[in-house]
Each structure stands twice: as C-alpha cells, then as structure tokens.
C-alpha cells in the first residue's frame, strides 16, 4: 500500500511538470517600451514584468530589492543595451539570476551621442522592428513549444509597425522641408531625425533640468530667430508667461509634449509604443505644418 502511494505521488509529480512547462514564460523587460514589445510578441503565453514602469526615467533608475526578486524569478531578461541601463549589471549580480540577458538592439548600427552610443534606437520605427525580431527569437528559444505563436504574433505586430512607418513618412512629407526643424530639450530623437529628416536642435546654453531664467529665454529667442526654427518643445518651462513670451517674440509655435523614453500608464496618452509614435507625429505636424 505504501509502495502504491509512493507510486501515485511520483506519477502526480511527473504529471505536474508538463503543467508548469505549459505555464506562462516569466519575462522581465527593463523599461516600458520594451515591455510593450514583449507583450505584443508574447501575447498570452508570456508574463511580462517591467522594471522601470510608465513615466519612469530608465537612465537614472534606482533598483529595489523587489526588482532583484523579479529578476531571480525570470526565465528571460530583455534589455535595450547601448548603455541605457547602467544600473542593471549590479542588479543582475545581486539577484543571482542565471536567466539569459537579451539585448533587443542587437544588429542595430548605433548613432553617436558625444563619445557614447545613443541608446534611443526605438525612436526609428524600422529599429523597433529589429527589437521585435530579437524579442521573437529570444522568446522562441526560451519556450520552443510556443515558437509558432511568437512567430505569428511578431508577424502581425511587424505589419502594424510597417503601417506606422508609412504614417510617419506621410506625415513628415506634408511638412514643408524648410520647416522640418524644432528646438527640443530632449536629446532622445537622434534616430527619429536620421530616419525621417526632422531636425532636433538643443536649446543653447540652457539647462534641461531646471526652469529657464529670463536670460535663458533671451538666448532661446535669439537662437530661434537666427536659425529660423518654426517650433519649440520646451517641456521644462512650466511658467506660461515665458512660453507666451517666446511665442510672441519669435512667432514660433510652442508645441506640446513629445514622449521619448517612457510610455504612460493605461489612462495616459501613450500607453503603447504605437500610440507614442502617433502622438509625437501629431504634435510635430501640428506645430510645424502650415
Ligand atoms: Zn533618454
């Protein structure tokens, strides 16, 4: 009898394993945009946990002990690379995780930002397709039983990205070439600029961290006039009087918010990558179009 019980236990244990193997693949994504890509490719076969969530700053993140736990539990960790997640190697070491670390930008020729690689490769939709292909291959390798599903999901999502790319090109086409130029405090649009031909000029001598002074505003006004820049996106200026002053003295349009490094939560304007690119294109065309 005891022998029989033991056998039943053994059989039940063996039976339990395929159930676990058929469960969702636990994936950690370093930040919200990669998390969205993984969701689109993984669908219902994957549980995605994002370390730097909506509206978070992935450049200066301070990981928590809960993050180490998430990484310890993950079967796969997917990161941007190109120096974006400087805080990650220590976190991985602290977690003791042996999960493969997949760099989603593998195969993308990086642009330079000063002496470093520019990490914001996702701002070109063509590059986003490379991210998706890398994620698809990583998920399929980690969970071969669901490879077909990942392949089909990736194909469907890549087609959406193709349509998005065409949308961006058509929108930029409508802006007169001489007006394809903005001042922006973001330094995140190098890949967008290179892919679509909209120039992003940094405000000269102005801190991007603090509220600009009257003198900063004077410098911005001179820069807009001399470089004939039709629109400015200055999100760190919260004082509406300064914004009105710039618009009044230069005739430049002061645009809304451009999203670069993080999605918003579900209730925000950019809960997905595709929504983010559409939002930016709308903001740019309404500020730059005639
Ligand atoms: Zn950035």
């Amino acid at each position: 009898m005891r022998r029989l019980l033991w056998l039943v236990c053994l059989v039940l244990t063996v039976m339990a394993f395929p159930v676990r193997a058929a469960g969702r693949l636990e994936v950690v994504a370093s930040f919200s945009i990669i998390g969205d890509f993984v969701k689109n490719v993984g669908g219902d076969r994957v549980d995605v946990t994002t370390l730097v969530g909506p509206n978070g700053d992935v450049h200066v993140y301070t990981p928590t002990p809960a993050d180490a736990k998430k990484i310890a539990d993950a079967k796969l960790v997917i990161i941007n690379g190109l120096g974006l997640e400087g805080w990650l190697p220590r976190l991985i070491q602290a977690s003791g995780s042996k999960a493969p670390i997949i760099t989603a930008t593998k195969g993308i020729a990086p642009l330079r930002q000063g002496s470093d690689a520019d990490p914001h490769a996702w701002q070109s939709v063509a590059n986003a397709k490379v991210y998706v292909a890398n994620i698809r291959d990583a998920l399929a390798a980690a969970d071969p039983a669901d490879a077909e599903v990942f392949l089909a999901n990736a194909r469907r999502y890549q087609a959406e990205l193709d349509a998005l790319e065409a949308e961006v090109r058509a929108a930029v086409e409508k802006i007169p070439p001489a007006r394809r130029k903005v001042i922006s405090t973001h330094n995140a649009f190098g890949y967008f600029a290179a892919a679509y031909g909209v120039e992003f000029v940094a405000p000269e001598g102005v801190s991007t961290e603090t509220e600009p002074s009257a003198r900063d505003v004077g410098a911005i006004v001179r820069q807009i006039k001399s470089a004939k820049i039709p629109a400015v996106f200055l999100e760190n200026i919260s004082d509406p009087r300064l914004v009105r002053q710039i618009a009044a003295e230069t005739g430049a349009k002061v645009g809304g918010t451009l999203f670069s490094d993080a999605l918003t939560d579900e209730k925000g304007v950019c809960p997905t990558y595709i929504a983010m690119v559409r939002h930016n294109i709308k903001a740019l065309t309404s500020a730059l179009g005639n």
Side-chain angles (χ1 to χ4, degrees):
M1 187 61 198
R2 183 168 289 177
R3 209 183 153 84
L4 185 68
L5 251 179
W6 186 84
L7 196 69
V8 167
C9 281
L10 184 73
V11 167
L12 283 176
T13 308
V14 169
M15 278 173 69
F17 270 101
V19 173
R20 283 194 63 181
R24 292 163 170 229
L25 183 69
E26 304 273 343
V27 180
V28 164
S30 60
F31 76 116
S32 54
I33 292 170
I34 290 184
D36 181 46
F37 293 151
V38 176
K39 268 181 220 158
N40 275 284
V41 179
D44 60 4
R45 309 300 165 99
V46 163
D47 259 335
V48 191
T49 305
T50 298
L51 297 177
V52 185
N55 306 310
D57 187 345
V58 59
H59 292 283
V60 293
Y61 186 64
T62 306
T64 64
D67 292 329
K69 169 91 171 65
K70 287 174 190 169
I71 290 203
D73 292 345
K75 292 282 179 293
L76 204 56
V77 179
I78 302 183
I79 67 167
N80 184 81
L82 302 179
L84 184 68
E85 303 101 338
W87 41 269
L88 196 85
R90 275 179 68 186
L91 175 63
I92 297 209
Q93 202 182 21
S95 75
S97 167
K98 297 278 181 290
I101 316 291
I102 305 300
T103 303
T105 53
K106 195 183 89 192
I108 291 172
L111 297 176
R112 310 304 301 178
Q113 199 166 54
S115 57
D116 300 321
D118 179 348
H120 308 89
W122 62 86
Q123 286 294 350
S124 132
V125 179
N127 284 347
K129 291 183 67 183
V130 177
Y131 282 68
V132 169
N134 285 328
I135 290 166
R136 173 200 64 202
D137 295 348
L139 296 185
D143 174 15
D146 285 324
E148 298 271 321
V149 177
F150 301 139
L151 213 70
N153 288 349
R155 203 178 296 129
R156 177 194 47 74
Y157 187 58
Q158 301 271 33
E160 287 180 45
L161 293 177
D162 283 335
L164 182 67
E165 170 90 6
E167 250 177 74
V168 176
R169 291 194 180 280
V172 174
E173 201 100 311
K174 288 200 189 106
I175 303 168
R179 293 180 61 83
R180 293 174 192 169
K181 190 153 62 168
V182 300
I183 284 188
S184 166
T185 45
H186 280 285
N187 60 355
F189 290 95
Y191 292 87
F192 185 96
Y196 308 115
V198 176
E199 197 183 333
F200 285 76
V201 184
E204 278 162 18
V206 177
S207 162
T208 55
E209 307 297 325
T210 54
E211 182 84 20
S213 64
R215 208 166 120 196
D216 290 339
V217 171
I220 293 171
V221 165
R222 279 193 300 282
Q223 190 185 2
I224 292 170
K225 284 180 174 168
S226 71
K228 296 191 172 55
I229 293 168
V232 288
F233 290 86
L234 295 166
E235 284 139 42
N236 57 324
I237 301 186
S238 54
D239 184 343
R241 285 171 308 175
L242 294 181
V243 172
R244 278 200 301 272
Q245 185 193 339
I246 292 170
E249 289 184 22
T250 63
K253 285 191 191 165
V254 181
T257 304
L258 295 176
F259 286 80
S260 61
D261 291 10
L263 302 177
T264 62
D265 63 17
E266 286 301 318
K267 293 192 189 93
V269 288
C270 305
T272 67
Y273 172 77
I274 289 178
M276 177 187 81
V277 174
R278 285 207 175 115
H279 171 94
N280 287 346
I281 267 297
K282 215 170 134 193
L284 286 170
T285 47
S286 62
L288 294 175
N290 273 330

